[in-house]
Amino acid sequence: MDLNAFWVLVESSGAEASDQDDRLERLTAAVAALPADEVVEFAVRLDEVRRRVDTWAHWHAADLICGGWCSDDGFFYFQAWLVGQGRAVFEAFAASPDALADLAHVRYLASRGGVHAWADEDWPDWEGLDYVAAEAFGGDLESELEARGLQVLVSPDPVGEQWDFADPAEISARIPRLGALFGKVA
């Protein structure tokens, strides 16, 4: 499976889905219908795209959006949510973490007045995406990946420079539009 096929599967799962659970079921069924090698490739492609946004800069944006409540698990599920937004949104965010200031859902979250006002379904996470390939594979996917000399991320391992996420000067310098949207700039 090439990257284009990966994105087609992810994006088509949301075409007629009524909610995230429905979308997850559709995606899992679509991946399960693939040959076993393609299911493994789906897991590899997910890992490949996730690694592109596994940086401190991207975690900073996620942490700001999530009101400082973005643990390592939270960031990992945020990455999956980001993949679920589709290729165009993903590519924009990969190029510039501040690009999420343009996303309607992020603007909605900012308008809610803080994470305490968010409904469970509002949170920018999609944990279920992490289990699609394993459920669709129907066997020991981890062993299959190891046999191929592959190891996928199971938690964030960010690269790049780390800084104080709560520092208004850093927010202003690194993610100014998100900072302004969430009222966190100096």
Side-chain angles (χ1 to χ4, degrees):
M1 167 180 303
D2 66 11
L3 202 50
N4 290 326
F6 169 83
W7 283 114
V8 166
L9 278 170
V10 170
E11 291 173 346
S12 66
S13 71
E16 296 179 18
S18 59
D19 60 23
Q20 200 172 62
D21 290 336
D22 184 35
R23 184 173 187 196
L24 189 60
E25 286 178 29
R26 290 172 184 269
L27 182 57
T28 302
V31 174
L34 299 171
D37 282 353
E38 293 291 303
V39 175
V40 172
E41 287 298 313
F42 180 87
V44 171
R45 294 293 84 77
L46 176 58
D47 183 68
E48 180 181 302
V49 298
R50 173 176 259 146
R51 287 176 190 268
R52 291 188 49 216
V53 294
D54 195 18
T55 73
W56 288 109
H58 293 97
W59 197 335
H60 188 200
D63 190 71
L64 182 106
I65 291 167
C66 294
W69 291 90
C70 194
S71 66
D72 58 348
D73 285 349
F75 181 50
F76 203 62
Y77 304 147
F78 180 90
Q79 292 170 347
W81 172 82
L82 184 61
V83 171
Q85 299 307 298
R87 191 174 200 167
V89 171
F90 179 88
E91 292 296 342
F93 181 69
S96 169
D98 207 29
L100 281 185
D102 297 327
L103 189 61
H105 187 72
V106 171
R107 297 182 80 69
Y108 167 77
L109 293 175
S111 76
R112 301 289 295 153
V115 297
H116 61 281
W118 297 358
D120 287 345
E121 61 271 6
D122 290 340
W123 279 87
D125 65 12
W126 195 16
E127 179 182 1
L129 181 59
D130 288 333
Y131 308 109
V132 167
E135 288 180 26
F137 189 69
D140 188 352
L141 179 61
E142 187 176 328
S143 293
E144 182 64 27
L145 289 164
E146 286 177 14
R148 296 175 185 212
L150 302 169
Q151 185 176 19
V152 297
L153 290 173
V154 294
S155 66
D157 188 18
V159 297
E161 179 186 359
Q162 189 174 359
W163 57 85
D164 179 0
F165 286 179
D167 182 348
E170 292 288 354
I171 293 169
S172 293
R174 297 176 189 270
I175 47 175
R177 293 184 312 135
L178 278 172
L181 186 63
F182 285 88
K184 299 292 183 180
V185 292

